[in-house]
Amino acid sequence: MGAAMRRIQTGSALSAFGIGFTVPFLYVYVARVRELGPTTAGLVLAAFAVAALIALPFVGRVIDRRGPLPVLVAASVTASVGALALGMSSTAATAVLSAAVLGAGTAVMQPALATMIVWCSEPQQRTRAFATQFFLQNLGLGVGGLIGGQIVDEHRPSSFTTLFLIEAVMFLVLGAIAAGVRMPKGEGLSGGAVQGGQRGGGLRALLKHRAMVQLMVLGFVLFFACYGQFESGLSAYGVEAAGISPSTLGIALAANTAVIVIAQFAVLRFVEYRKRSRVIASVGLIWAVAWAAAAYAGLGNGSQAMATAAFISTYALFGLGEALLSPTVAPLVADLAPGGMVGQYNSVFALVKQLALAVGPAVGGPMGASLHGPYVVTFFLFSLGITYLAVRLGRELTPEQNQPSLVAPRVVALGKPEQAGKPEQVGKPEQVGKPEQAPATV
């Protein structure tokens, strides 16, 4: 991992650490600590999503024209201002406005960071780079939430102000670290292969790219059927149908994070040498099993202990699927992007994610709370739909896009010219068997 990539990953992890300080406590802070009520708390949470949906359609072209670095620095400063303002808000209007500023800043960070990772890595390195980012972000969120929980006191508003101050500082640290990154020039500025010999082309060109459109549909289903249910439909279903206590919900979320942290690098070697479409298809099957476990927890006739174990297993299985997706989907978006459109592809995919995260709770929340059987059946079928969509997507991908390891460069060791002719080596035919070229990368 180069110095630039280390700085990007460090900044990303620290910003996630700061976000972890506040996200679990937003509702309590607005509704109870500031005494603004549950309606205002709901508006504050909605402001995050609305601000992201407004900002993301415009940021991609700016990233491609100006580069991801200035966009990330500006987003970091914006998010820092929003966090600090939210920590000092005492009225409904200022809380909602501050949340919108914070939401816009954090939303823009996603495609900017993703584009920086693309610019600072070769296609064969992106699987590991995005897996590392996902691992560090989850670790940062978990540690931040754990420490934040020890600091907050519902009876001391100043303790919450401290959390938001820490978050604001972490965003500024991200901006400072990013500002010191030396971005590569030349070929590093293009994403994947140029489609049809064109550079750029805007949203219209993107929507004509069949593989990307299929990936966007698949991405919406992925985020809708999993991430969009974590803190809404699935938790409501667990409480109402399975009799899960709030403390057990916390254990289930901890199990999800633990599986991600433990499994991320264990599955990485498996992912690196498999077709991406098949990895995503396997995630659909894993999540179908997760929803089957949820069905047993809420609809089965077992003991409460068995129901609790099944429900925690649901979150753990979701974590395994997430660990498989993190080194797969984001690099695929980058490899599909034509030269000069990496930022637009990343921002559009981030927009799809935000839409799914907005629609998911709105649909899943009421179903999970009252329509228990239809809820788990619906999302079981959505999971199988992920497998179907992934198989279809695989037919639209080139071999290099679907499995970058096929074209990964191999270095032949010095003093071993006989290895240059091994069939597993990738190189031009005329290079094979020439001892004097053994030290080169083929």
Side-chain angles (χ1 to χ4, degrees):
M1 186 185 294
M5 186 65 73
R6 283 195 295 271
R7 294 180 72 91
I8 294 169
Q9 301 286 26
T10 300
S12 177
L14 289 175
S15 66
F17 174 70
I19 292 172
F21 268 88
T22 62
V23 168
F25 316 109
L26 273 175
Y27 182 88
V28 173
Y29 169 71
V30 176
R32 298 181 183 178
V33 176
R34 292 301 183 184
E35 299 181 344
L36 298 176
T39 301
T40 301
L43 290 174
V44 166
L45 295 174
F48 282 96
V50 172
L53 294 177
I54 293 173
L56 285 171
F58 304 101
V59 72
R61 189 176 291 272
V62 178
I63 291 174
D64 289 330
R65 288 182 175 179
R66 303 294 183 183
L69 184 53
V71 174
L72 179 60
V73 172
S76 301
V77 173
T78 301
S80 179
V81 171
L84 189 60
L86 187 56
M88 297 180 177
S89 296
S90 58
T91 66
T94 56
V96 172
L97 180 60
S98 300
V101 173
L102 176 57
T106 53
V108 171
M109 287 180 196
Q110 297 178 42
L113 278 168
T115 305
M116 287 184 73
I117 290 175
V118 172
W119 282 22
C120 294
S121 63
E122 297 297 328
Q124 298 82 13
Q125 301 169 333
R126 288 172 192 159
T127 296
R128 189 168 292 272
F130 279 103
T132 301
Q133 184 198 31
F134 186 72
F135 167 81
L136 291 175
Q137 284 185 334
N138 274 277
L139 188 62
L141 284 169
V143 174
L146 183 64
I147 297 176
Q150 307 305 310
I151 296 176
V152 294
D153 183 347
E154 191 174 331
H155 304 291
R156 288 193 304 112
S158 61
S159 66
F160 285 84
T161 303
T162 300
L163 295 189
F164 285 103
L165 178 61
I166 293 172
E167 182 182 32
V169 170
M170 288 298 103
F171 287 136
L172 292 179
V173 170
L174 168 61
I177 291 175
V181 174
R182 298 184 62 179
M183 300 298 295
K185 299 183 182 296
E187 61 183 81
L189 304 186
S190 61
V194 178
Q195 301 291 330
Q198 300 290 328
R199 287 184 67 88
L203 183 61
R204 185 176 300 178
L206 186 152
L207 294 177
K208 291 181 179 179
H209 190 172
R210 288 187 59 182
M212 183 59 188
V213 171
Q214 288 192 23
L215 181 58
M216 288 162 59
V217 173
L218 174 58
F220 182 89
V221 177
L222 282 168
F223 293 114
F224 174 77
C226 175
Y227 300 88
Q229 303 308 312
F230 270 0
E231 297 176 5
S232 57
L234 189 55
S235 58
Y237 170 84
V239 172
E240 299 295 338
I244 301 299
S245 66
S247 61
T248 303
L249 283 177
I251 295 174
L253 285 168
N256 174 265
T257 302
V259 169
I260 291 172
V261 171
I262 294 170
Q264 185 63 83
F265 292 104
V267 303
L268 187 56
R269 182 168 293 275
F270 170 83
V271 171
E272 283 182 316
Y273 298 100
R274 299 296 188 282
K275 290 183 178 180
R276 287 166 167 170
S277 59
R278 292 183 181 177
V279 173
I280 300 172
S282 70
V283 171
L285 297 177
I286 291 171
W287 285 356
V289 174
W291 284 108
Y296 174 80
L299 307 176
N301 297 317
S303 65
Q304 184 59 44
M306 292 295 292
T308 300
F311 190 77
I312 294 174
S313 298
T314 299
Y315 276 81
L317 287 169
F318 277 136
L320 178 59
E322 292 175 75
L324 289 167
L325 286 176
S326 62
T328 306
V329 175
L332 180 54
V333 173
D335 290 347
L336 287 175
M341 288 187 67
V342 181
Q344 292 177 72
Y345 272 57
N346 280 324
S347 63
V348 167
F349 196 78
L351 177 62
V352 168
K353 176 181 178 180
Q354 289 295 331
L355 283 170
L357 294 180
V359 175
V363 174
M367 287 186 68
S370 56
L371 301 174
H372 304 148
Y375 176 69
V376 291
V377 170
T378 296
F379 286 94
F380 175 83
L381 294 176
F382 266 110
S383 297
L384 294 181
I386 290 170
T387 300
Y388 170 74
L389 291 171
V391 172
R392 279 195 62 191
L393 174 64
R395 299 170 187 162
E396 297 291 333
L397 303 176
T398 66
E400 294 80 9
Q401 291 168 344
N402 207 6
Q403 190 175 348
S405 62
L406 293 175
V407 292
R410 296 175 182 269
V411 179
V412 181
L414 287 170
K416 296 183 180 180
E418 68 276 10
Q419 292 183 351
K422 286 190 176 182
E424 67 268 17
Q425 299 271 332
V426 179
K428 295 182 180 180
E430 66 269 23
Q431 291 177 330
V432 177
K434 289 188 177 183
E436 65 274 15
Q437 293 188 12
T441 301
V442 296

